[in-house]
Amino acid sequence: MPLPSPDPLPTALPRTPDDDPQERGGSLVTRTLLITAPAVLAAAALRPRSRSGSRSGAG
């Protein structure tokens, strides 16, 4: 009596756009801008302001 043949390996299912890990969290560029833009704006806002005559070269 012959042994039953093993089932063929299942083929990969077609990927849907929801399965893409990069698109789930947004693109790398978007994520980078969302992190760095507020940091740059906060650094510019918190930067100490220079006095009016300190950089004019009249020293």
Side-chain angles (χ1 to χ4, degrees):
M1 187 175 218
L3 295 173
S5 63
D7 291 337
L9 294 175
T11 58
L13 296 174
R15 293 185 62 174
T16 60
D18 293 338
D19 290 341
D20 195 358
Q22 186 178 12
E23 291 300 321
R24 230 179 289 162
S27 70
L28 180 63
V29 174
T30 303
R31 193 178 332 161
T32 303
L33 288 174
L34 285 174
I35 292 171
T36 57
V40 169
L41 291 175
L46 297 175
R47 189 174 164 196
R49 301 191 187 268
S50 61
R51 296 182 182 156
S52 60
S54 66
R55 294 194 181 192
S56 64

